[in-house]
Tab-separated table of all heavy atoms in Angstrom:
chain	number	residue	atom	x	y	z
A	1	GLY	N	-12.627	-3.464	7.424
A	1	GLY	CA	-12.250	-2.754	8.656
A	1	GLY	C	-13.166	-3.255	9.781
A	1	GLY	O	-13.862	-4.218	9.655
A	2	GLU	N	-13.103	-2.525	10.892
A	2	GLU	CA	-13.981	-2.850	12.033
A	2	GLU	C	-15.362	-2.316	11.722
A	2	GLU	O	-15.575	-1.313	11.067
A	2	GLU	CB	-13.415	-2.195	13.266
A	2	GLU	CG	-12.078	-2.743	13.666
A	2	GLU	CD	-11.503	-2.049	14.908
A	2	GLU	OE1	-12.275	-1.369	15.582
A	2	GLU	OE2	-10.331	-2.226	15.139
A	3	GLY	N	-16.349	-2.999	12.254
A	3	GLY	CA	-17.757	-2.601	12.049
A	3	GLY	C	-18.146	-2.880	10.589
A	3	GLY	O	-17.975	-3.975	10.106
A	4	GLU	N	-18.594	-1.834	9.869
A	4	GLU	CA	-18.920	-2.053	8.495
A	4	GLU	C	-17.631	-2.075	7.662
A	4	GLU	O	-16.574	-1.576	8.105
A	4	GLU	CB	-19.841	-0.959	7.972
A	4	GLU	CG	-19.329	0.395	7.995
A	4	GLU	CD	-20.325	1.442	7.537
A	4	GLU	OE1	-21.432	1.400	8.000
A	4	GLU	OE2	-19.985	2.251	6.645
A	5	GLU	N	-17.640	-2.669	6.519
A	5	GLU	CA	-16.434	-2.870	5.699
A	5	GLU	C	-15.886	-1.473	5.255
A	5	GLU	O	-16.599	-0.642	4.765
A	5	GLU	CB	-16.720	-3.655	4.459
A	5	GLU	CG	-16.904	-5.122	4.732
A	5	GLU	CD	-16.920	-5.952	3.469
A	5	GLU	OE1	-16.593	-5.403	2.390
A	5	GLU	OE2	-17.208	-7.131	3.570
A	6	ALA	N	-14.605	-1.323	5.530
A	6	ALA	CA	-13.921	-0.093	5.086
A	6	ALA	C	-13.341	-0.365	3.674
A	6	ALA	O	-12.818	-1.416	3.431
A	6	ALA	CB	-12.758	0.254	6.042
A	7	LYS	N	-13.507	0.610	2.775
A	7	LYS	CA	-13.024	0.474	1.409
A	7	LYS	C	-11.740	1.314	1.280
A	7	LYS	O	-11.819	2.533	1.206
A	7	LYS	CB	-14.059	0.929	0.390
A	7	LYS	CG	-15.364	0.189	0.518
A	7	LYS	CD	-15.232	-1.328	0.221
A	7	LYS	CE	-16.569	-1.999	0.311
A	7	LYS	NZ	-16.428	-3.403	0.279
A	8	VAL	N	-10.596	0.619	1.343
A	8	VAL	CA	-9.303	1.345	1.279
A	8	VAL	C	-8.625	0.902	-0.028
A	8	VAL	O	-8.134	-0.172	-0.151
A	8	VAL	CB	-8.423	0.998	2.498
A	8	VAL	CG1	-7.150	1.784	2.457
A	8	VAL	CG2	-9.183	1.233	3.813
A	9	PRO	N	-8.530	1.875	-0.967
A	9	PRO	CA	-7.802	1.540	-2.252
A	9	PRO	C	-6.336	1.437	-2.001
A	9	PRO	O	-5.759	2.038	-1.096
A	9	PRO	CB	-8.172	2.707	-3.133
A	9	PRO	CG	-8.477	3.838	-2.231
A	9	PRO	CD	-9.039	3.232	-0.978
A	10	TRP	N	-5.662	0.627	-2.847
A	10	TRP	CA	-4.198	0.466	-2.704
A	10	TRP	C	-3.457	1.754	-2.807
A	10	TRP	O	-2.428	1.946	-2.267
A	10	TRP	CB	-3.663	-0.613	-3.628
A	10	TRP	CG	-3.817	-0.286	-5.123
A	10	TRP	CD1	-4.728	-0.804	-5.967
A	10	TRP	CD2	-2.946	0.512	-5.901
A	10	TRP	NE1	-4.554	-0.333	-7.276
A	10	TRP	CE2	-3.422	0.474	-7.235
A	10	TRP	CE3	-1.818	1.319	-5.649
A	10	TRP	CZ2	-2.810	1.171	-8.261
A	10	TRP	CZ3	-1.225	2.006	-6.672
A	10	TRP	CH2	-1.716	1.924	-7.991
A	11	HIS	N	-4.050	2.751	-3.528
A	11	HIS	CA	-3.390	4.071	-3.662
A	11	HIS	C	-3.194	4.687	-2.275
A	11	HIS	O	-2.176	5.270	-2.008
A	11	HIS	CB	-4.225	5.034	-4.491
A	11	HIS	CG	-4.486	4.535	-5.884
A	11	HIS	ND1	-5.557	3.755	-6.214
A	11	HIS	CD2	-3.833	4.736	-7.027
A	11	HIS	CE1	-5.525	3.450	-7.482
A	11	HIS	NE2	-4.512	4.047	-8.043
A	12	GLN	N	-4.224	4.604	-1.455
A	12	GLN	CA	-4.155	5.158	-0.115
A	12	GLN	C	-3.153	4.389	0.748
A	12	GLN	O	-2.347	5.003	1.501
A	12	GLN	CB	-5.537	5.154	0.572
A	12	GLN	CG	-5.539	5.714	1.977
A	12	GLN	CD	-5.192	7.205	2.016
A	12	GLN	OE1	-5.474	7.955	1.093
A	12	GLN	NE2	-4.583	7.641	3.120
A	13	ILE	N	-3.125	3.073	0.624
A	13	ILE	CA	-2.194	2.274	1.417
A	13	ILE	C	-0.773	2.583	0.973
A	13	ILE	O	0.136	2.695	1.850
A	13	ILE	CB	-2.514	0.766	1.239
A	13	ILE	CG1	-3.912	0.482	1.800
A	13	ILE	CG2	-1.490	-0.064	1.938
A	13	ILE	CD1	-4.474	-0.826	1.455
A	14	HIS	N	-0.542	2.782	-0.292
A	14	HIS	CA	0.791	3.157	-0.818
A	14	HIS	C	1.219	4.515	-0.234
A	14	HIS	O	2.357	4.666	0.299
A	14	HIS	CB	0.788	3.221	-2.349
A	14	HIS	CG	2.073	3.677	-2.914
A	14	HIS	ND1	2.230	4.886	-3.516
A	14	HIS	CD2	3.323	3.085	-2.962
A	14	HIS	CE1	3.450	5.011	-3.960
A	14	HIS	NE2	4.164	3.920	-3.615
A	15	PHE	N	0.325	5.484	-0.232
A	15	PHE	CA	0.587	6.807	0.293
A	15	PHE	C	0.979	6.694	1.781
A	15	PHE	O	1.940	7.310	2.204
A	15	PHE	CB	-0.635	7.703	0.116
A	15	PHE	CG	-0.447	9.084	0.736
A	15	PHE	CD1	0.233	10.088	0.067
A	15	PHE	CD2	-0.983	9.351	1.997
A	15	PHE	CE1	0.432	11.337	0.653
A	15	PHE	CE2	-0.832	10.592	2.548
A	15	PHE	CZ	-0.132	11.604	1.904
A	16	GLU	N	0.270	5.922	2.541
A	16	GLU	CA	0.532	5.766	3.981
A	16	GLU	C	1.847	5.098	4.206
A	16	GLU	O	2.605	5.439	5.118
A	16	GLU	CB	-0.618	5.067	4.652
A	16	GLU	CG	-1.875	5.836	4.692
A	16	GLU	CD	-3.109	5.050	5.143
A	16	GLU	OE1	-2.997	3.842	5.412
A	16	GLU	OE2	-4.220	5.667	5.191
A	17	ALA	N	2.174	4.081	3.402
A	17	ALA	CA	3.444	3.374	3.503
A	17	ALA	C	4.586	4.308	3.224
A	17	ALA	O	5.598	4.325	3.969
A	17	ALA	CB	3.501	2.185	2.592
A	18	GLN	N	4.434	5.105	2.171
A	18	GLN	CA	5.490	6.065	1.828
A	18	GLN	C	5.681	7.112	2.924
A	18	GLN	O	6.818	7.388	3.329
A	18	GLN	CB	5.144	6.807	0.542
A	18	GLN	CG	5.143	5.970	-0.675
A	18	GLN	CD	6.307	6.339	-1.604
A	18	GLN	OE1	7.261	5.578	-1.639
A	18	GLN	NE2	6.212	7.458	-2.261
A	19	ALA	N	4.587	7.596	3.521
A	19	ALA	CA	4.625	8.602	4.573
A	19	ALA	C	5.359	8.018	5.822
A	19	ALA	O	6.087	8.764	6.523
A	19	ALA	CB	3.276	9.116	4.928
A	20	ALA	N	5.178	6.725	6.052
A	20	ALA	CA	5.768	6.064	7.204
A	20	ALA	C	7.243	5.665	6.934
A	20	ALA	O	7.911	5.196	7.856
A	20	ALA	CB	4.948	4.848	7.648
A	21	GLY	N	7.689	5.823	5.685
A	21	GLY	CA	9.048	5.429	5.329
A	21	GLY	C	9.188	3.929	5.089
A	21	GLY	O	10.310	3.417	5.086
A	22	ASP	N	8.054	3.229	4.881
A	22	ASP	CA	8.112	1.781	4.661
A	22	ASP	C	8.528	1.519	3.195
A	22	ASP	O	8.167	2.264	2.287
A	22	ASP	CB	6.739	1.137	4.909
A	22	ASP	CG	6.333	1.241	6.370
A	22	ASP	OD1	7.204	1.401	7.203
A	22	ASP	OD2	5.116	1.185	6.597
A	23	ASP	N	9.244	0.434	2.970
A	23	ASP	CA	9.619	0.063	1.623
A	23	ASP	C	8.536	-0.730	0.892
A	23	ASP	O	8.535	-0.825	-0.332
A	23	ASP	CB	10.887	-0.806	1.640
A	23	ASP	CG	12.123	0.010	1.971
A	23	ASP	OD1	12.106	1.228	1.765
A	23	ASP	OD2	13.113	-0.596	2.418
A	24	THR	N	7.633	-1.338	1.667
A	24	THR	CA	6.630	-2.172	1.060
A	24	THR	C	5.277	-1.994	1.757
A	24	THR	O	5.189	-1.430	2.834
A	24	THR	CB	6.991	-3.660	1.162
A	24	THR	OG1	7.009	-4.033	2.544
A	24	THR	CG2	8.282	-3.996	0.494
A	25	TYR	N	4.224	-2.500	1.114
A	25	TYR	CA	2.897	-2.614	1.725
A	25	TYR	C	2.251	-3.854	1.142
A	25	TYR	O	2.732	-4.462	0.180
A	25	TYR	CB	2.030	-1.325	1.450
A	25	TYR	CG	1.679	-1.168	0.004
A	25	TYR	CD1	0.472	-1.683	-0.515
A	25	TYR	CD2	2.495	-0.459	-0.836
A	25	TYR	CE1	0.174	-1.504	-1.879
A	25	TYR	CE2	2.179	-0.248	-2.177
A	25	TYR	CZ	0.998	-0.779	-2.691
A	25	TYR	OH	0.684	-0.603	-3.966
A	26	ILE	N	1.195	-4.330	1.745
A	26	ILE	CA	0.459	-5.503	1.320
A	26	ILE	C	-0.717	-5.060	0.468
A	26	ILE	O	-1.530	-4.270	0.964
A	26	ILE	CB	0.007	-6.397	2.519
A	26	ILE	CG1	1.205	-6.801	3.370
A	26	ILE	CG2	-0.777	-7.585	1.998
A	26	ILE	CD1	2.226	-7.626	2.684
A	27	ASP	N	-0.822	-5.522	-0.745
A	27	ASP	CA	-1.952	-5.237	-1.590
A	27	ASP	C	-3.191	-5.879	-1.026
A	27	ASP	O	-3.201	-7.115	-0.821
A	27	ASP	CB	-1.694	-5.716	-3.033
A	27	ASP	CG	-2.827	-5.402	-3.983
A	27	ASP	OD1	-3.834	-6.150	-3.937
A	27	ASP	OD2	-2.749	-4.415	-4.670
A	28	PRO	N	-4.243	-5.131	-0.742
A	28	PRO	CA	-5.416	-5.727	-0.107
A	28	PRO	C	-6.160	-6.717	-0.989
A	28	PRO	O	-6.849	-7.581	-0.471
A	28	PRO	CB	-6.297	-4.534	0.300
A	28	PRO	CG	-5.829	-3.453	-0.638
A	28	PRO	CD	-4.384	-3.702	-0.946
A	29	ALA	N	-6.047	-6.584	-2.293
A	29	ALA	CA	-6.840	-7.496	-3.158
A	29	ALA	C	-6.133	-8.795	-3.378
A	29	ALA	O	-6.771	-9.825	-3.530
A	29	ALA	CB	-7.041	-6.809	-4.524
A	30	THR	N	-4.765	-8.796	-3.360
A	30	THR	CA	-4.027	-10.007	-3.675
A	30	THR	C	-3.280	-10.638	-2.537
A	30	THR	O	-2.934	-11.801	-2.519
A	30	THR	CB	-3.016	-9.766	-4.830
A	30	THR	OG1	-2.037	-8.798	-4.312
A	30	THR	CG2	-3.681	-9.227	-6.046
A	31	GLY	N	-2.960	-9.815	-1.516
A	31	GLY	CA	-2.143	-10.245	-0.418
A	31	GLY	C	-0.674	-10.195	-0.749
A	31	GLY	O	0.181	-10.541	0.113
A	32	TYR	N	-0.288	-9.729	-1.934
A	32	TYR	CA	1.093	-9.645	-2.334
A	32	TYR	C	1.765	-8.461	-1.664
A	32	TYR	O	1.174	-7.426	-1.447
A	32	TYR	CB	1.231	-9.471	-3.863
A	32	TYR	CG	0.827	-10.691	-4.683
A	32	TYR	CD1	0.397	-10.481	-5.955
A	32	TYR	CD2	0.834	-11.960	-4.144
A	32	TYR	CE1	-0.025	-11.574	-6.735
A	32	TYR	CE2	0.449	-13.043	-4.928
A	32	TYR	CZ	0.046	-12.870	-6.226
A	32	TYR	OH	-0.344	-13.900	-6.975
A	33	GLN	N	3.075	-8.591	-1.420
A	33	GLN	CA	3.881	-7.526	-0.932
A	33	GLN	C	4.268	-6.671	-2.128
A	33	GLN	O	4.773	-7.202	-3.143
A	33	GLN	CB	5.109	-8.060	-0.229
A	33	GLN	CG	5.934	-7.065	0.457
A	33	GLN	CD	7.007	-7.680	1.322
A	33	GLN	OE1	6.990	-8.856	1.625
A	33	GLN	NE2	7.954	-6.890	1.722
A	34	VAL	N	4.115	-5.340	-2.047
A	34	VAL	CA	4.397	-4.446	-3.167
A	34	VAL	C	5.417	-3.414	-2.720
A	34	VAL	O	5.325	-2.811	-1.642
A	34	VAL	CB	3.094	-3.688	-3.613
A	34	VAL	CG1	3.381	-2.758	-4.756
A	34	VAL	CG2	2.009	-4.694	-3.967
A	35	TYR	N	6.481	-3.198	-3.547
A	35	TYR	CA	7.462	-2.157	-3.232
A	35	TYR	C	6.905	-0.797	-3.494
A	35	TYR	O	6.222	-0.618	-4.502
A	35	TYR	CB	8.736	-2.379	-4.068
A	35	TYR	CG	9.538	-3.527	-3.617
A	35	TYR	CD1	9.687	-4.661	-4.443
A	35	TYR	CD2	10.245	-3.517	-2.452
A	35	TYR	CE1	10.466	-5.748	-4.045
A	35	TYR	CE2	10.983	-4.595	-2.041
A	35	TYR	CZ	11.077	-5.699	-2.854
A	35	TYR	OH	11.853	-6.754	-2.424
A	36	THR	N	7.242	0.183	-2.658
A	36	THR	CA	6.768	1.526	-2.817
A	36	THR	C	7.672	2.260	-3.866
A	36	THR	O	8.777	1.789	-4.189
A	36	THR	CB	6.876	2.330	-1.493
A	36	THR	OG1	8.231	2.401	-1.080
A	36	THR	CG2	6.012	1.707	-0.411
A	37	GLU	N	7.187	3.378	-4.335
A	37	GLU	CA	7.948	4.183	-5.276
A	37	GLU	C	9.248	4.634	-4.649
A	37	GLU	O	10.308	4.673	-5.274
A	37	GLU	CB	7.122	5.396	-5.743
A	37	GLU	CG	7.902	6.236	-6.761
A	37	GLU	CD	7.136	7.441	-7.217
A	37	GLU	OE1	5.925	7.530	-7.039
A	37	GLU	OE2	7.772	8.314	-7.866
A	38	GLY	N	9.203	5.005	-3.341
A	38	GLY	CA	10.410	5.434	-2.620
A	38	GLY	C	11.507	4.359	-2.670
A	38	GLY	O	12.677	4.630	-2.860
A	39	PHE	N	11.089	3.104	-2.482
A	39	PHE	CA	12.032	2.024	-2.505
A	39	PHE	C	12.708	1.951	-3.886
A	39	PHE	O	13.919	1.818	-4.025
A	39	PHE	CB	11.345	0.653	-2.225
A	39	PHE	CG	12.245	-0.512	-2.522
A	39	PHE	CD1	13.147	-0.946	-1.552
A	39	PHE	CD2	12.169	-1.166	-3.725
A	39	PHE	CE1	13.973	-2.039	-1.798
A	39	PHE	CE2	13.032	-2.229	-3.977
A	39	PHE	CZ	13.915	-2.663	-3.033
A	40	HIS	N	11.901	2.077	-4.939
A	40	HIS	CA	12.455	1.992	-6.323
A	40	HIS	C	13.376	3.149	-6.589
A	40	HIS	O	14.423	2.936	-7.248
A	40	HIS	CB	11.268	2.008	-7.329
A	40	HIS	CG	10.505	0.719	-7.372
A	40	HIS	ND1	11.025	-0.480	-7.703
A	40	HIS	CD2	9.216	0.496	-7.026
A	40	HIS	CE1	10.128	-1.430	-7.606
A	40	HIS	NE2	8.964	-0.866	-7.188
A	41	ARG	N	13.047	4.322	-6.128
A	41	ARG	CA	13.932	5.510	-6.358
A	41	ARG	C	15.280	5.292	-5.641
A	41	ARG	O	16.319	5.611	-6.194
A	41	ARG	CB	13.296	6.782	-5.859
A	41	ARG	CG	12.122	7.186	-6.771
A	41	ARG	CD	11.703	8.634	-6.491
A	41	ARG	NE	10.589	8.967	-7.329
A	41	ARG	CZ	10.651	9.295	-8.604
A	41	ARG	NH1	11.812	9.320	-9.256
A	41	ARG	NH2	9.569	9.596	-9.294
């Protein structure tokens, strides 16, 4: 993140993507696009 490194687990990124209604998010460790649970449902 900005300043010191922010540690954001993929669980949090998934939660935020779901809340925003997004079908996917980018996994921070791999850079891969990941489908959310909402998309699968």
